[in-house]
């Protein structure tokens, strides 16, 4: 059931929710949390679809906040709130309210969302795109116990990780971190099977993928060994190589779905490591509402402390070779100049002898 409301208020939206529940014969509220999604019109459909799929595991009230951009100065001074209320089969498991904000009310979205939150239920806020640098101090972020961002959707993902580390508040999390959960589980299980000491690690993945940096920082933080970040053509994270005192341990995923775990003295094993959909990532994040201390520790380790990949090393070697050749040529030039000076001094002696 869908109910469209134009130029409405939060009170009318609540009445429409009650009306919709009675119309479909479910007056009771059986939802466990409120999921607030802050997005734009372009990404609203995909975000709502992912949240609806995740609600099968976590029945929730989904509030989609879409801040519309006013085209003229006159429109910016006129505040308007449009809403679309969905209950029953149209909302998946739970209820859905799509809020479109116009004019000055865009800057006061928290005043619109606050009356629509479920009473005595946790609040999770998700920014699929254009997340603030400091989610906890965002007006909407102050309403939530958990704040979910996605660094992968940022313009400069690696710089975004550094900024998030500086503004981290317990309750913040990132879908780029959620994407590497199967990798972390598999690497931890592999290390549990051997009694070896890890000496170095290499993490390989495509460029501008913050999940690779997060996995590298987690390994460096937990193992206290140098970790090298190297580039590949993808897709996503492609390989992790750990050098140990009893042989290398390699987890390689070249095709984005099936990985191979190789360990010294054991046969190679195929491991399912497919790239997961957004709905699966959101469902995983909704399973725990307490602060993620492991994510905080890995994030604060710092991207700058990771060693560069082979490409950067090659550039450094060429720069060193250029510097050496230039210094060698300078020395040769200096030697030639030194030889030329004595020759110049001997010329007057020969001239005097001729006289």
């Amino acid at each position: 059931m869908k109910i469209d409301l134009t130029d409405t208020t939060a009170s009318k939206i609540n009445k429409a929710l009650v009306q919709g529940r009675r119309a479909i014969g479910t007056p009771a509220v059986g939802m466990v949390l409120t999921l607030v999604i802050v997005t734009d019109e372009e990404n609203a459909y995909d975000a709502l679809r992912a949240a609806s799929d995740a609600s099968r595991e976590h029945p929730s009230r989904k509030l989609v906040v879409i801040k519309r951009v006013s085209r003229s100065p006159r429109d910016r001074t006129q505040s308007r709130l449009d809403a679309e209320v969905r209950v029953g089969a149209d909302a998946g498991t739970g209820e859905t309210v799509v809020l479109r904000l116009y004019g000055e009310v865009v800057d006061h979205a928290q005043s619109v969302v606050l009356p629509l939150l479920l009473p005595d239920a946790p609040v999770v806020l998700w920014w699929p795109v254009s997340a603030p640098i400091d989610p906890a101090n965002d007006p909407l972020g102050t309403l939530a116990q958990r704040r979910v961002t996605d660094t992968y959707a940022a313009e400069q993902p690696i710089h975004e990780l550094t900024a998030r580390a500086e503004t981290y508040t317990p309750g913040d999390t990132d879908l780029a971190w959620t994407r590497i959960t199967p990798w972390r589980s598999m690497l931890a299980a592999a290390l549990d099977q051997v009694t070896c000491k890890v000496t170095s690690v290499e993490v390989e993945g495509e460029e501008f993928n913050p999940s690779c940096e997060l996995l590298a920082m987690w390994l460096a933080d937990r193992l206290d060994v140098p970790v090298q970040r190297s580039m590949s053509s993808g897709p996503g994270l492609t390989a992790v190589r750990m050098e140990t005192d009893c042989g290398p341990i390699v987890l390689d995923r070249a095709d984005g779905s099936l990985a191979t775990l190789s360990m010294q003295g054991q046969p190679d094993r195929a491991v399912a490591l497919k790239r997961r959909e957004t709905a699966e990532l959101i469902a995983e994040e909704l399973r725990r509402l307490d602060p993620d201390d492991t994510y905080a520790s890995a994030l604060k380790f710092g991207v700058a402390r990771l060693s560069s990949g082979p490409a950067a090393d090659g550039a450094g070697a060429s720069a060193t070779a250029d510097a050496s050749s230039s210094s060698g040529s300078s020395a040769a030039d200096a030697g030639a100049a030194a030889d030329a000076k004595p020759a110049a001094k001997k010329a007057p002696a020969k001239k005097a002898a001729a006289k």
Side-chain angles (χ1 to χ4, degrees):
M1 180 179 181
K2 294 183 181 180
I3 302 175
D4 292 325
L5 302 173
T6 304
D7 197 6
T8 186
T9 62
S11 176
K12 294 179 181 178
I13 295 173
N14 271 319
K15 291 180 180 178
L17 286 169
V18 175
Q19 176 186 349
R21 286 199 301 268
R22 288 177 177 173
I24 63 175
T26 57
V29 179
M31 290 163 284
V32 297
L33 58 89
T34 303
L35 176 61
V36 183
I37 307 170
V38 184
T39 183
D40 52 18
E41 198 72 59
E42 179 183 358
N43 298 279
Y45 175 80
D46 292 334
L48 184 56
R49 181 178 179 180
S52 298
D53 291 341
S55 69
R56 298 172 183 171
E57 185 177 340
H58 310 277
S60 58
R61 174 178 289 181
K62 299 171 287 294
L63 304 178
V64 184
V65 180
I66 303 174
K67 299 180 179 181
R68 300 296 298 267
V69 178
S70 300
R71 299 181 179 178
S72 65
R74 181 180 301 174
D75 293 338
R76 297 189 192 103
T77 60
Q78 299 176 355
S79 299
R80 195 178 92 219
L81 171 63
D82 294 345
E84 181 181 339
V85 178
R86 304 178 187 178
V87 292
D90 293 324
T93 305
E95 302 169 342
T96 299
V97 180
V98 181
L99 304 169
R100 290 182 172 86
L101 283 59
Y102 301 84
E104 295 181 350
V105 74
V106 168
D107 298 326
H108 305 280
Q110 71 278 8
S111 301
V112 178
V113 171
L114 185 59
L116 302 176
L117 301 178
L118 289 172
D120 302 325
V123 179
V124 178
L125 192 62
W126 174 32
W127 288 273
V129 293
S130 303
I133 295 298
D134 190 358
N137 289 327
D138 184 82
L140 281 170
T142 57
L143 304 176
Q145 286 78 38
R146 288 278 282 180
R147 296 163 294 275
V148 184
T149 58
D150 192 357
T151 313
Y152 188 80
E155 288 288 337
Q156 296 181 329
I158 311 307
H159 294 291
E160 195 94 356
L161 283 179
T162 305
R164 292 281 160 77
E166 296 173 355
T167 61
Y168 174 81
T169 303
D172 294 351
T173 190
D174 198 318
L175 292 186
W177 171 257
T178 315
R179 289 184 180 96
I180 62 174
T181 299
W183 284 83
R184 294 189 293 120
S185 302
M186 188 57 57
L187 292 173
L191 290 177
D192 285 342
Q193 299 176 28
V194 295
T195 55
C196 301
K197 182 179 179 180
V198 180
T199 56
S200 65
V201 180
E202 179 185 1
V203 176
E204 182 184 278
E206 64 182 357
E207 193 175 5
F208 305 118
N209 190 332
S211 297
C212 302
E213 270 71 20
L214 283 170
L215 181 60
M217 290 189 291
W218 174 71
L219 289 168
D221 180 51
R222 292 296 167 180
L223 299 176
D224 194 21
V225 296
V227 177
Q228 177 178 302
R229 167 71 164 97
S230 57
M231 304 300 174
S232 71
S233 58
L237 190 59
T238 54
V240 175
R241 300 178 182 88
M242 295 186 289
E243 296 294 336
T244 69
D245 54 6
C246 56
I249 299 176
V250 181
L251 183 60
D252 186 17
R253 185 189 67 177
D255 59 354
S257 59
L258 189 65
T260 303
L261 178 62
S262 304
M263 302 175 65
Q264 189 76 19
Q266 298 185 19
D268 293 350
R269 283 171 285 178
V271 180
L273 275 180
K274 71 180 184 69
R275 305 187 73 187
R276 297 184 293 170
E277 300 292 335
T278 307
E280 299 177 60
L281 304 177
I282 289 295
E284 179 182 331
E285 284 300 331
L286 296 181
R287 292 187 194 119
R288 55 174 300 172
L289 300 177
D290 56 323
D292 193 342
D293 296 331
T294 308
Y295 165 70
S297 179
L299 182 66
K300 292 179 179 179
F301 181 84
V303 179
R305 296 173 64 183
L306 299 176
S307 58
S308 57
D313 294 341
S318 62
T320 305
D322 294 341
S324 301
S325 61
S326 61
S327 61
S329 61
S330 301
D333 294 341
D339 294 339
K341 286 182 180 179
K345 289 181 180 179
K346 292 178 181 178
K350 291 180 181 179
K351 186 176 181 182
K355 287 183 179 179

